[in-house]
Amino acid sequence: MANGQANGQWYPPEWPDRIRALADGTLSPVVPRRAATVMLLKDTGTGTAVHMLRRRASMAFAGGAYAYPGGGVDPRDDDRAIGWAGPTRAWWADRLGVDEAGAQAIVCAAVRETYEEAGVLLAGPAADSVVGDTTGADWEADRAALVARDLSFAEFLDRRGLVLRSDLLGAWARWITPEFESRRYDTWFFVAALPEGQRTRNASTEADRTVWITPADAAAGYDKGELLMMPPTVATLRALAECGSAAEALASAPGRDMTPVLARARLVEGEVVLSWPGHEEFTKHVPAAAPATPSDPTGGAPA
């Protein structure tokens, strides 16, 4: 685990040095890449469960952390030829705080990445239908081609005579990776219900485990230090735990605040205070100057 806290907050050992470098002006922030992630929900006998995957420990970004299916926008995700159903691109642009091309790209990325990493496809042959089982060999061949970027999402939908069901998604939150991180993402979080007839599977090469777990249980696992997670994951889990069903979560999505959450690092009385506005539980205090020693190779970072 990358931190020594009582909870399971993902905290890389190189962060303190990078925070100090940002504070003293020797680190230039990397431009964040647009990304999307989807919190798939299903109702069970013990409550509403969310689909989560555990990133492989070898991953450079958030290795070992639990997250949702998702990833970066493909430059072809704003292809205007894409089959589309649900709210208009203009509606989504207003909801996501971007232009229409950007809105399509982000929504497409959400649907495409969910299919690539979980085998679940939020699309159908018509605006009021959804595909059923997607586990056949022909589906897998198309999924692999999408992952390899040999096939664009627009080409995939056209080949299968499908339209993207944007109405099955609810925009939930937007988080931007801190400015001191070497890999940065501007990520839109969506919520969706698992379509009837479909099932999730671990289709991602980036994950070594997938689970269906209630948001409350997942958050409790984080609180106990048993499940490693990044702040946006924990924050969204806590909000999801307040919803009694997948339908309730989707119904509440339009009222969710989409103001981007970006961590702030500031110098206060000899230490760097790292905080996420509106999410005080993630605040960290880092010594402003902590040279590494043989017994402390991280320079004061939590181990």
Side-chain angles (χ1 to χ4, degrees), residues 62 65 88 103 127 176 249 259 296:
T88 65
I176 302 175
T259 302
D296 182 15

Side-chain angles (χ1 to χ4, degrees), residues 129 148 160 179 203 253 297:
S129 62
R160 296 217 167 242
E179 292 182 331

Side-chain angles (χ1 to χ4, degrees), residues 38-41 84-87 91-92 107 110-111 114 120-131 163-171 190-196 198 246-247 249-251 253:
V38 176
M39 302 174 286
L40 278 174
L41 302 174
W84 188 274
W91 184 93
W92 278 108
V107 171
V111 176
T114 302
V120 171
L121 182 59
L122 303 175
D128 59 353
S129 62
V130 186
V131 297
V163 294
L164 181 153
R165 290 285 307 276
S166 77
D167 56 310
L168 298 181
L169 289 168
F190 295 86
V191 64
L194 178 68
E196 185 175 353
Q198 293 193 42
L250 279 164

Side-chain angles (χ1 to χ4, degrees), residues 48-240:
T48 303
V50 61
H51 179 70
M52 303 189 76
L53 52 83
R54 184 175 65 187
R55 295 173 59 83
R56 293 186 184 278
S58 58
M59 296 297 295
F61 183 82
Y66 279 80
Y68 313 111
V73 166
D74 182 329
R76 298 171 297 178
D77 282 336
D78 61 1
D79 189 330
R80 295 297 297 187
I82 196 166
W84 188 274
T88 65
R89 294 168 178 80
W91 184 93
W92 278 108
D94 181 66
R95 181 72 181 118
L96 302 179
V98 296
D99 59 21
E100 290 190 30
Q104 176 175 297
I106 293 161
V107 171
C108 281
V111 176
R112 176 181 50 74
E113 288 284 343
T114 302
Y115 181 54
E116 289 181 10
E117 296 200 336
V120 171
L121 182 59
L122 303 175
D128 59 353
S129 62
V130 186
V131 297
D133 187 9
T134 62
T135 58
D138 57 333
W139 285 101
E140 178 56 25
D142 280 351
R143 192 197 66 79
L146 284 169
V147 173
R149 299 296 181 259
D150 293 334
L151 183 68
S152 75
F153 196 58
E155 292 168 334
F156 164 71
L157 292 177
D158 184 62
R159 173 189 296 181
R160 296 217 167 242
L162 301 173
V163 294
L164 181 153
R165 290 285 307 276
S166 77
D167 56 310
L168 298 181
L169 289 168
W172 192 265
R174 180 182 179 185
W175 289 64
I176 302 175
T177 309
E179 292 182 331
F180 47 82
E181 248 298 325
S182 57
R183 291 176 176 80
R184 301 189 64 212
Y185 298 92
D186 185 350
T187 304
W188 283 261
F189 287 73
F190 295 86
V191 64
L194 178 68
E196 185 175 353
Q198 293 193 42
R199 63 181 186 222
T200 56
R201 58 195 176 91
N202 184 8
S204 173
T205 58
E206 299 178 355
D208 61 11
R209 184 188 184 209
T210 61
V211 296
W212 280 100
I213 185 172
T214 67
D217 285 347
Y222 164 86
D223 290 335
K224 296 173 185 176
E226 297 171 352
L227 301 181
L228 186 66
M229 298 178 197
M230 293 176 284
T233 310
V234 182
T236 50
L237 284 171
R238 297 206 194 285
L240 283 174

